Amino acid sequence: MRLVSLLPAATEIAYALGLGDDLVGVTFECAVPPAYRSGTTVVVGGRDTQGMSPGEIDAYVKGQLAAGADLYTLHAGALAGLDPDLILTQDLCRVCALPSGRVADAVEHLGCRAEVLSLDPYTLADVLGTILAVGAAARVPDRAEALVDGLRARLAAVRAAVAGRPRRRVAVVEWVDPPFGAGHWIPDLVEAAGGEPVATSPGARSTPTTWAALRAARPEVVLVAPCGFHLDGAAAQAAEVAGHFPGAEIWALDADGLVVRAGPRLVDGTEAIAAILHPDAVPAPPEGAIRRVA
């Protein structure tokens, strides 16, 4: 099977399912192991925002959307040349990846025979369901079942380890300029890790808020996990916002590696959050996952 992934989370799912040899096309944001990079074509491009501040990124995104312009560019010629059987895309977030409608239009225009599978999870349970859906579409359902069973077992182990312990109030900041309270599956991660999520939108899109509103939720722990950033970038932003939360613990997380990409590593994120909230109950996460800022 010839597989094209148009979002980083789907690429991670594909590799977790042992489909690296089938993956022929990815986006410029996908993390492709060196062993596969030479055989994989980039079919979606976009602006490199490295070096831009969160406020500058927000202004760019808003300007593009207001103008009716896309944030991502589908290289249709490259896609047609790959002759894919299955294309993985999404409709969850226009800021995160190319919408599936644009992909379907391109496939029809090009005369491709590919199946287009849109992955649009809103909860942690939904994310596990997308893994099963990819496995079924890629004709490896047994691998997907085994992977999901393993992920569920790890989640159950975390829940058991933190059961009965006091649940501290946890706010997750998904963006800092302007501030966004976390939504989608992130509150599920906090709950599974033994915390009480506050100032969140469980199972719904994350929404802009204010520092005053976040403070009013009285968080005891603030997790700064800005979408598109790894630990160093998150830590720099966490240091800047720490003053908004006197008395609270401030932690930075490797957002892209742990909490914002809807793939198997969300379980790593749950384990990392549990290590923050209940460090004597669960193992410490790997170096580079979390950092206390204040």
Side-chain angles (χ1 to χ4, degrees):
M1 171 169 289
R2 298 177 63 79
L3 175 64
V4 168
S5 169
L6 301 185
L7 67 159
T11 299
E12 295 183 9
I13 291 172
Y15 281 114
L17 292 174
L19 296 171
D21 289 335
D22 299 290
L23 197 60
V24 295
V26 295
T27 82
F28 76 110
E29 293 179 312
C30 292
V32 180
Y36 291 97
R37 188 170 299 279
S38 62
T40 310
T41 300
V42 173
V43 294
V44 172
R47 181 168 179 177
D48 184 356
T49 57
Q50 291 187 28
M52 297 172 66
S53 70
E56 290 169 339
I57 295 172
D58 181 72
Y60 166 69
V61 169
K62 287 178 178 176
Q64 289 292 101
L65 296 180
D70 285 328
L71 296 169
Y72 298 90
T73 302
L74 178 65
H75 304 314
L79 179 63
L82 294 174
D83 189 26
D85 301 300
L86 175 63
I87 301 173
L88 303 177
T89 183
Q90 62 93 50
D91 277 322
L92 189 68
C93 176
R94 286 186 65 190
V95 178
C96 299
L98 196 72
S100 66
R102 299 295 177 94
V103 179
D105 290 345
V107 167
E108 182 177 358
H109 175 73
L110 295 168
C112 288
R113 57 188 176 85
E115 175 187 356
V116 178
L117 177 62
S118 184
L119 309 179
D120 303 304
Y122 277 85
T123 67
L124 182 56
D126 290 344
V127 173
L128 299 180
T130 65
I131 295 173
L132 297 175
V134 172
R139 302 176 196 144
V140 289
D142 292 346
R143 293 186 206 172
E145 289 282 358
L147 175 59
V148 169
D149 285 348
L151 296 173
R152 286 175 175 155
R154 288 170 59 192
L155 289 169
V158 173
R159 290 183 184 276
V162 303
R165 290 171 170 262
R167 289 181 171 264
R168 290 193 286 172
R169 298 171 62 82
V170 180
V172 182
V173 180
E174 196 174 332
W175 198 252
V176 302
D177 187 11
F180 272 67
H184 299 118
W185 49 81
I186 294 178
D188 295 341
L189 308 190
V190 173
E191 188 279 328
E196 178 186 348
V198 299
T200 62
S201 303
R205 298 180 187 274
S206 57
T207 55
T209 183
T210 64
W211 296 118
L214 288 168
R215 277 195 306 275
R218 298 178 292 107
E220 299 167 85
V221 180
V222 177
L223 308 179
V224 180
C227 184
F229 289 85
H230 291 289
L231 183 60
D232 286 343
Q237 294 175 46
E240 293 181 5
V241 307
H244 293 288
F245 302 98
E249 287 184 20
I250 311 296
W251 290 79
L253 281 75
D254 173 6
D256 275 7
L258 296 174
V259 298
V260 298
R261 291 184 174 177
R265 290 195 292 174
L266 292 185
V267 177
D268 298 342
T270 301
E271 293 168 342
I273 296 171
I276 292 171
L277 302 177
H278 305 284
D280 57 338
V282 298
E287 186 72 22
I290 62 175
R291 185 182 305 162
R292 185 167 181 178
V293 175

